[in-house]
Amino acid sequence: MGLLVAAALVAVPLTASAQPKGQPKEINLDEPETPAEGTEPVEAPAAPTDGGEETGLGDICKIDPTACPTINLEKEAAKDLKNETYAVQQIYALRYHRFEVNPYFGLTMNDQFVGHNGPGLAVNWYLTNVLAIGVNGNWYGALNTPSDFNFQTSRAARIGEPITEYQWNANANFTYVPAYGKFAGFSDFIFHYDFFVLGGVGAISTRPMAVVDPDNRTFDWKPKLSFHVGGGLRIFFNRWFAAMFEVSDYIFFDELENPSVAANPQDKSTWLAEGKSFTNNVQAQVGLSVFLPFSWEYRLPK
Amino acid sequence: MTAAPAEAQEIQLTGPLAGAPAVRQLRLHRAGRFEVAPGASFTLLDEYRRTIMPGLRLTYHFTDWLGFGAWGGYGFQYNAGLTDELQRVAIDGRNCDAQPFTKACQLTRVNLTKGDLTKDQLGQIQWVAAPQVTVVPFRGKLALFAELFVDTDVSFFAGAAAIGVKERKECGTTNQNACAETFGLESRMAFAPTFGLGWNFYPSDFIGFGAEWRALPFAWNTSGFDNHGLGTDEAFPDRKVDDKDREFHFTSMVTVSLSIQFPTGIKTTE
């Protein structure tokens, strides 16, 4: 106990020395710590032993003479320590009032007939440390790829499964960060991560790919209302750069090709099937997050 | 990118905590303990049949980062939307029993049963048993809503799996086993590597929960179709259903589990 108290007493003046009176009590952990003039750190004191108290106090007095006469080391050492320790002492990467720029690549997870892979970009502004508003968009363009599975199923069962291609989608979102934490890797290094969930509304531009009557039918792109829900994980490499993984579901009502051909196959009004198809476009999004500005000053209590 | 983590360490390297362990009083949830983890697995990206697999994972952890054990489960299936669509449109709608002379029935008689798709030709995973090694490189803690705190770790595992598969019976072109008349399922055992990662949470000293993603890559015929056997790279149908019609599937699944560690008392580091 005495050892701990001695170490703590030494540590306190050291920290204080970097914050002379008159300066704001803010810590910028990205800047190298430069002690104020005349307050260069001294070596940690030797552990006090029986009768060695003077050595410990002597070192303390060198560091902060004002603390020297006010401390009865024996009395302090006898006290029970009730120090409060937070699970995460300071949030490693604060998000409050920062932009997040998040380029990613989306991979289709639930459409076995057509792959809708493509790049995307999200930009968020954190209103608080856990709540952000933002926008995101995906470009599918010419990247829609009918699968081998689609071909084989059509060939084997002689059916034409209505398929759709996507052009783009865009959404306005709220993002919430309910959980954060840190990991020790191989008991050697520490990295921080957080979970986020998001929801929003937007539009997606799609059109059917003519399968039943490709000789006569060509469809135009048409935007539809879409809803966006998702969640993901960010792993921070430093205070402004992270890798992210997200699963997002873009929910909309799609229009499909009519499986039957009318008497006049060139009558456009007969090309679409009746009703609309409830569609979930689930995609995995893998990318990077860059937080701007790169650095900040802590204004939260440690 | 490398400078920032180093800065965080400098405080410890040069301060009064120099030489101190990164974490004191670390709770060793795994070292020297036997873990029993009942759970349920759900297959992902299924084409015709989805599987829910109640199962059990047993692991003994020699250290806090290394364990040996086994995972297994028994699968129950239900249809994906495509299966119901095929049954409705291509089988019930065509009614090939009554009108076998139609073009569609003639062209699909090798590939489509006249009865129930799920009973006659669609593949399914019956059971899996997999001895595996578990490595736990990452340990940490999680703050939920800045109020709830739990210990957590990330584990990676790899092993070999024996898989009980039901697939469409093999058939050919002779009168005895003509594919047009031979439908039904038969069992076989397949072997595959298995690997994945899990995220585990420990709200108490001996009870935890977690989720893991697992891959079981192997080749099997999920549809019962004759898709391969003839031509370049055997890419064309040969009117037989056999091992050439098996296709490689990554066969991934997500498992959620409850874990109980024995002995229930937990050790901590100094």
Side-chain angles (χ1 to χ4, degrees):
Chain A
M1 185 64 77
L3 284 172
L4 288 173
V5 171
L9 289 173
V10 170
V12 168
L14 271 176
T15 307
S17 67
Q19 297 177 341
K21 282 183 180 177
Q23 288 193 6
K25 291 182 179 178
E26 294 168 354
I27 304 167
N28 187 340
L29 294 177
D30 286 323
E31 288 179 4
E33 195 172 349
T34 51
E37 208 170 298
T39 59
E40 288 80 5
V42 296
E43 288 184 10
T49 56
D50 290 342
E53 211 171 89
E54 283 182 10
T55 308
L57 275 176
D59 283 348
I60 291 168
C61 293
K62 284 181 193 172
I63 297 163
D64 186 356
T66 59
C68 185
T70 62
I71 298 172
N72 182 335
L73 195 58
E74 284 186 2
K75 192 177 172 186
E76 294 296 324
K79 285 183 180 175
D80 285 336
L81 286 178
K82 293 180 180 175
N83 52 331
E84 186 178 7
T85 304
Y86 294 96
V88 179
Q89 287 286 352
Q90 281 184 326
I91 297 173
Y92 180 71
L94 281 182
R95 292 168 291 268
Y96 174 68
H97 277 195
R98 295 175 86 192
F99 279 105
E100 179 193 13
V101 180
N102 168 214
Y104 60 82
F105 196 84
L107 301 163
T108 303
M109 291 189 72
N110 69 331
D111 192 335
Q112 290 147 0
F113 294 96
V114 186
H116 309 287
N117 305 324
L121 181 71
V123 178
N124 296 309
W125 166 252
Y126 279 86
L127 300 168
T128 72
N129 202 42
V130 296
L131 183 67
I133 55 171
V135 293
N136 84 305
N138 298 283
W139 177 256
Y140 306 105
L143 301 172
N144 296 278
T145 49
S147 66
D148 288 345
F149 176 77
N150 176 50
F151 167 73
Q152 288 173 357
T153 306
S154 301
R155 181 177 66 182
R158 299 286 157 178
I159 59 165
E161 186 69 20
I163 54 177
T164 305
E165 60 182 334
Y166 304 160
Q167 186 183 34
W168 55 262
N169 92 337
N171 310 273
N173 308 305
F174 281 101
T175 301
Y176 180 62
V177 185
Y180 60 89
K182 59 184 179 181
F183 272 124
F186 302 99
S187 298
D188 185 41
F189 60 90
I190 290 174
F191 63 89
H192 293 244
Y193 64 91
D194 65 26
F195 286 111
F196 58 91
V197 293
L198 54 86
V201 63
I204 184 168
S205 174
T206 72
R207 69 179 181 187
M209 299 171 84
V211 171
V212 178
D213 186 11
D215 293 337
N216 292 299
R217 296 173 177 175
T218 55
F219 295 92
D220 296 324
W221 297 109
K222 190 173 170 185
K224 289 109 184 163
L225 177 70
S226 72
F227 298 93
H228 177 201
V229 293
L233 169 75
R234 265 187 299 257
I235 296 173
F236 289 90
F237 297 117
N238 61 27
R239 295 175 194 279
W240 56 267
F241 189 57
M244 57 77 65
F245 173 78
E246 175 183 327
V247 175
S248 268
D249 186 4
Y250 301 95
I251 305 160
F252 60 101
F253 288 92
D254 208 358
E255 294 175 338
L256 302 179
E257 184 183 9
N258 190 342
S260 56
V261 180
N264 177 8
Q266 295 189 336
D267 179 1
K268 283 189 177 184
S269 65
T270 65
W271 290 359
L272 290 173
E274 284 183 13
K276 297 193 174 180
S277 172
F278 181 77
T279 302
N280 295 82
N281 173 32
V282 181
Q283 61 184 47
Q285 298 174 179
V286 183
L288 302 168
S289 275
V290 176
F291 283 83
L292 302 172
F294 293 130
S295 62
W296 73 94
E297 291 182 340
Y298 266 106
R299 293 177 187 276
L300 298 177
K302 184 173 182 180
Chain B
M1 286 172 58
T2 53
E7 280 175 22
Q9 294 297 321
E10 279 171 15
I11 296 166
Q12 294 180 14
L13 291 172
T14 60
L17 296 178
V23 183
R24 290 189 186 276
Q25 299 292 308
L26 179 67
R27 287 187 289 275
L28 301 174
H29 287 283
R30 294 178 180 264
R33 302 176 91 184
F34 191 75
E35 178 190 23
V36 179
S41 302
F42 304 86
T43 51
L44 302 174
L45 305 175
D46 301 289
E47 295 162 347
Y48 300 99
R49 300 279 277 164
R50 298 198 173 96
T51 300
I52 297 176
M53 186 175 291
L56 188 69
R57 185 181 70 234
L58 303 172
T59 310
Y60 180 74
H61 298 277
F62 293 97
T63 70
D64 211 43
W65 62 271
L66 180 66
F68 292 91
W71 166 82
Y74 187 86
F76 298 90
Q77 280 76 28
Y78 66 99
N79 287 347
L82 176 61
T83 300
D84 294 335
E85 181 79 2
L86 277 177
Q87 182 72 44
R88 185 177 64 81
V89 175
I91 296 177
D92 299 341
R94 288 176 187 158
N95 193 14
C96 291
D97 254 344
Q99 41 189 6
F101 48 83
T102 61
K103 185 179 176 184
C105 290
Q106 288 291 315
L107 290 172
T108 60
R109 61 198 185 113
V110 169
N111 288 317
L112 289 177
T113 177
K114 299 183 183 76
D116 187 338
L117 266 176
T118 60
K119 290 179 182 168
D120 288 348
Q121 65 180 95
L122 296 183
Q124 62 189 52
I125 295 175
Q126 283 185 290
W127 55 266
V128 181
Q132 60 185 22
V133 178
T134 302
V135 178
V136 189
F138 303 125
R139 291 180 298 188
K141 51 191 173 183
L142 177 75
L144 185 63
F145 304 112
E147 289 290 337
L148 303 171
F149 303 97
V150 290
D151 292 346
T152 175
D153 66 33
V154 172
S155 59
F156 293 83
F157 54 86
I163 307 163
V165 186
K166 264 191 174 179
E167 287 173 320
R168 183 177 169 185
K169 287 177 189 169
E170 290 199 1
C171 57
T173 53
T174 64
N175 286 338
Q176 288 75 25
N177 71 344
C179 282
E181 308 302 329
T182 307
F183 286 91
L185 302 176
E186 63 186 5
S187 298
R188 74 177 173 97
M189 191 188 302
F191 294 95
T194 182
F195 55 88
L197 77 166
W199 199 324
N200 311 287
F201 303 89
Y202 303 95
S204 82
D205 286 351
F206 66 97
I207 293 179
F209 62 92
E212 66 183 32
W213 172 85
R214 174 184 296 273
L216 276 171
F218 73 107
W220 56 307
N221 188 348
T222 55
S223 63
F225 293 159
D226 166 32
N227 276 327
H228 301 285
L230 265 187
T232 308
D233 297 330
E234 299 178 333
F236 296 90
D238 61 354
R239 306 188 69 76
K240 299 175 189 170
V241 174
D242 53 22
D243 58 354
K244 292 175 183 171
D245 295 304
R246 294 174 191 157
E247 293 185 326
F248 178 80
H249 290 78
F250 208 70
T251 317
S252 57
M253 59 181 70
V254 167
T255 302
V256 290
S257 61
L258 179 75
S259 64
I260 305 162
Q261 283 83 29
F262 297 100
T264 54
I266 190 170
K267 295 177 195 166
T268 58
T269 61
E270 67 178 36

